[in-house]
Amino acid sequence: MKIAFIASECYPLVKTGGLADVVGSLSQALATLGHEVAVIIPYYKKNIASRNIEISTFFETMCVHMGSGIEEWCSVKTAMLGRKVRVFFIESDKYFFREGLYCDSFNNDFQDNPYRFAFFSRAALQLLRDMDFRPDVIHAHDWQTAAVCAYMKTWDWGESGIDKAKSVLTIHNIGYQGIYSADCLDYCGFDWKFFTSDIFEDYGRVNFLKGGIHFADFVTTVSPKYAEETLGGSQSYGLAPYLRSKNERYLGILNGVDYSVWDPKTDENIPENFSARSFKGKAACKRELQKRFALDENENIPVIGVVSRFAHQKGLDILAKTVGRIVDSMVVQFAIMGSGEAELENFFRWIPGEKHGKIGSFIGYSDEMSHLVEAGSDFFIMPSRYEPCGLNQIYSLKYGTLPIVRNTGGLSDTVQQYCEADGSGTGFKFDYLSTDAIFDTVGWAVSTYFDRPKHIDKMRKAAMKCDFSWKNSAKEYEKIYKF
């Protein structure tokens, strides 16, 4: 099959979260299965990491027709992602020559985001038409490209075959829906007859994700548990009725991970490699982690790692309220890396000074540092309010770093609860998000570390044997594409 991925991010070229990992890894996994895959993303000139990837010009100019007779002009660049997937970049300085992808340095959304991503969605389809790539499937991702599904069904695409392709929309996080003033609808070029409560309209505003759900032939999300959660209750963020209307055409497929990048046996970002057969290298990683985060260098003290966006979803505000009490009451350390909400950034900058040697932080993101946290920590905590899939707990499993997680979404699907009776399981789960729940579950993990070390070893080996590669997930997407 010919498959076109249209997304706002793709690892390793540009990334703010798990969406990028999925686009980069799933596209290559599908190509390995024999499909012809093209990926289209914006050209964020200030953010693209070339990573020794050669980027060349594909089209010097391309005209993109928007609503109200507006013509936008852009250029197109291209590069290879791995050996089999070609990436195309839509270049428009007007919309993508900025410091951030979606928001400014103060974490405020760019006011023209609906225009930026409506243009990108139209441009991506225009590119497929102009280069005569006749896709069997066009796979859009999240609200930023949800309009692709609508454009496919409502615009005249002539003999290009775009209107005949199947459209798939993957929801990576339903909490982000792209809700903006209805003023943008004319620029988008959608007839106002689609501004109804079952399509684009959302309390007088435009909801891009909602419209994409309506027009998509198939909708997926990133774990079976999250699919179940989004069909009702607060986890649906108001979209449950529209997802339920898709019936069997809404499905949760667990994200995979790229073990060529995340494997302690081959990881080039860590000081010493290790495996389930020999944990010697993990001890070396722990020493380096303690050194880099200014923690007391003691191999007998368990370290709990965090690599996360500092966002409400992640529950780190609740961790912040109890982390001091934890290190005062238990023999344990924290290595915390992340960025996002200013209040949390300021807190995690401040607390290492108050709890010197017990808590260390790195405000920002470093790929190398994230690998070190995964490899050197004994535990990895994710107290998420909701978690569509989560990838860090899967990385943690591979590195023998036992997850401490809230029992929600993909965290529930991927972490097996520890059983004190026989030492089975791969992590520690709690149901309700509260300071006491975090405190008690961390206490459970720490007591197991000191009192039942054989159980820790057994759990680590079981965790490292887990297989969440893209091989199985890619085959599930194949079935959808043939639906």
Side-chain angles (χ1 to χ4, degrees), residues 44-73:
Y44 307 100
K45 193 175 294 184
K46 291 188 175 183
N47 305 92
I48 292 289
S50 63
R51 303 287 183 102
N52 299 317
I53 296 174
E54 183 179 346
I55 298 175
S56 59
T57 298
F58 187 76
F59 284 151
E60 289 283 356
T61 59
M62 185 175 74
C63 181
V64 180
H65 295 275
M66 302 304 298
S68 302
I70 296 172
E71 291 184 356
E72 301 279 13
W73 291 84

Side-chain angles (χ1 to χ4, degrees), residues 13 108 229 243 332 339 344 356 358 368 396 449 472:
L13 297 162
N108 297 314
E229 291 172 344
L243 292 172
V332 67
S339 62
L344 282 174
H356 183 71
K358 296 182 178 181
E368 181 267 337
S396 297
Y449 180 91
N472 294 329

Side-chain angles (χ1 to χ4, degrees), residues 209-355:
L209 186 60
K210 185 179 180 182
I213 290 169
H214 175 85
F215 285 106
D217 293 316
F218 210 110
V219 180
T220 72
T221 192
V222 291
S223 73
K225 181 68 171 179
Y226 191 57
E228 177 186 325
E229 291 172 344
T230 55
L231 287 174
S234 62
Q235 296 281 36
S236 75
Y237 284 82
L239 294 185
Y242 313 102
L243 292 172
R244 287 197 295 267
S245 72
K246 305 304 286 189
N247 297 311
E248 74 275 10
R249 290 177 181 259
Y250 178 52
L251 184 66
I253 299 176
L254 188 68
N255 279 344
V257 299
D258 186 348
Y259 286 130
S260 70
V261 176
W262 294 96
D263 188 337
K265 290 187 293 186
T266 57
D267 194 337
E268 296 179 356
N269 289 296
I270 60 178
E272 193 170 319
N273 296 118
F274 61 93
S275 68
R277 292 185 177 182
S278 174
F279 281 95
K280 180 182 176 183
K282 188 170 179 66
C285 294
K286 182 174 180 176
R287 287 194 296 271
E288 180 64 19
L289 178 66
Q290 289 176 323
K291 179 180 178 181
R292 296 278 288 274
F293 279 77
L295 301 172
D296 293 338
E297 295 180 34
N298 185 332
E299 64 180 12
N300 296 316
I301 298 177
V303 179
I304 299 176
V306 173
V307 178
S308 179
R309 288 182 293 111
F310 293 166
H312 182 75
Q313 172 205 339
K314 299 299 183 178
L316 295 178
D317 56 318
I318 308 302
L319 176 64
K321 293 176 181 178
T322 194
V323 68
R325 180 163 67 110
I326 289 172
V327 298
D328 285 344
S329 306
M330 308 174 199
V331 180
V332 67
Q333 300 171 343
F334 281 82
I336 300 169
M337 183 177 82
S339 62
E341 294 177 3
E343 186 175 350
L344 282 174
E345 285 192 5
N346 291 335
F347 174 82
F348 287 118
R349 280 194 187 97
W350 165 80
I351 197 166
E354 294 293 307
K355 306 296 179 183

Side-chain angles (χ1 to χ4, degrees), residues 87-265:
V87 179
F88 297 91
F89 307 89
I90 302 298
E91 182 178 22
S92 167
D93 286 354
K94 173 182 176 180
Y95 285 134
F96 303 119
F97 187 58
R98 306 182 184 187
E99 294 295 338
L101 272 60
Y102 315 118
C103 54
D104 61 24
S105 58
F106 298 100
N107 213 32
N108 297 314
D109 273 14
F110 292 126
Q111 293 300 303
D112 61 347
N113 272 349
Y115 299 85
R116 297 172 73 219
F117 291 104
F119 158 74
F120 169 67
S121 297
R122 270 286 296 115
L125 294 174
Q126 188 67 42
L127 173 61
L128 293 175
R129 179 178 182 173
D130 289 358
M131 70 179 186
D132 199 28
F133 186 95
R134 294 177 173 268
D136 298 293
V137 177
I138 296 178
H139 193 154
H141 296 264
D142 271 350
W143 80 261
Q144 290 91 343
T145 57
V148 164
C149 304
Y151 283 128
M152 290 172 65
K153 296 291 195 296
T154 62
W155 280 55
D156 181 5
W157 294 102
E159 300 300 318
S160 66
I162 288 174
D163 55 337
K164 297 180 177 61
K166 293 180 181 177
S167 61
V168 175
L169 173 62
T170 293
I171 300 170
H172 297 263
N173 189 332
I174 205 168
Y176 299 93
Q177 299 179 10
I179 303 174
Y180 295 98
S181 168
D183 294 344
C184 68
L185 205 63
D186 286 330
Y187 175 84
C188 294
F190 294 123
D191 195 300
W192 280 88
K193 70 182 181 182
F194 300 126
F195 191 64
T196 59
S197 61
D198 60 333
I199 306 180
F200 277 115
E201 192 269 337
D202 191 340
Y203 293 96
R205 308 180 81 192
V206 169
N207 186 321
F208 281 90
L209 186 60
K210 185 179 180 182
I213 290 169
H214 175 85
F215 285 106
D217 293 316
F218 210 110
V219 180
T220 72
T221 192
V222 291
S223 73
K225 181 68 171 179
Y226 191 57
E228 177 186 325
E229 291 172 344
T230 55
L231 287 174
S234 62
Q235 296 281 36
S236 75
Y237 284 82
L239 294 185
Y242 313 102
L243 292 172
R244 287 197 295 267
S245 72
K246 305 304 286 189
N247 297 311
E248 74 275 10
R249 290 177 181 259
Y250 178 52
L251 184 66
I253 299 176
L254 188 68
N255 279 344
V257 299
D258 186 348
Y259 286 130
S260 70
V261 176
W262 294 96
D263 188 337
K265 290 187 293 186

Side-chain angles (χ1 to χ4, degrees), residues 18-34:
L19 162 63
D21 295 291
V22 173
V23 173
S25 299
L26 176 57
S27 60
Q28 294 186 79
L30 289 165
T32 299
L33 292 175

Side-chain angles (χ1 to χ4, degrees), residues 363-382:
I363 306 304
Y365 180 80
S366 161
D367 197 44
E368 181 267 337
M369 190 74 82
S370 69
H371 283 251
L372 181 61
V373 173
E374 291 287 6
S377 299
D378 297 289
F379 303 101
F380 193 97
I381 190 164
M382 298 176 70

Side-chain angles (χ1 to χ4, degrees), residues 378-480:
D378 297 289
F379 303 101
F380 193 97
I381 190 164
M382 298 176 70
S384 304
R385 285 182 166 84
Y386 68 94
E387 194 63 61
C389 177
L391 293 174
N392 278 101
Q393 85 280 7
I394 301 178
Y395 303 152
S396 297
L397 293 169
K398 192 66 174 178
Y399 286 74
T401 300
L402 303 178
I404 301 170
V405 301
R406 182 160 178 259
N407 192 19
T408 185
L411 302 177
S412 179
D413 287 327
T414 53
V415 179
Q416 181 186 351
Q417 183 71 293
Y418 166 56
C419 175
E420 284 193 26
D422 60 9
S424 62
T426 58
F428 302 84
K429 298 194 284 190
F430 58 94
D431 291 320
Y432 301 104
L433 180 58
S434 68
T435 55
D436 286 344
I438 292 175
F439 183 90
D440 292 343
T441 310
V442 169
W444 187 25
V446 171
S447 68
T448 303
Y449 180 91
F450 286 111
D451 301 335
R452 297 174 294 280
K454 289 184 179 179
H455 283 189
I456 293 292
D457 289 341
K458 182 177 180 179
M459 293 172 72
R460 281 177 169 171
K461 290 175 182 178
M464 295 179 78
K465 289 179 181 178
C466 293
D467 183 3
F468 293 104
S469 64
W470 271 110
K471 179 173 62 177
N472 294 329
S473 298
K475 290 180 179 178
E476 290 299 310
Y477 276 103
E478 270 190 322
K479 294 177 184 177
I480 286 174

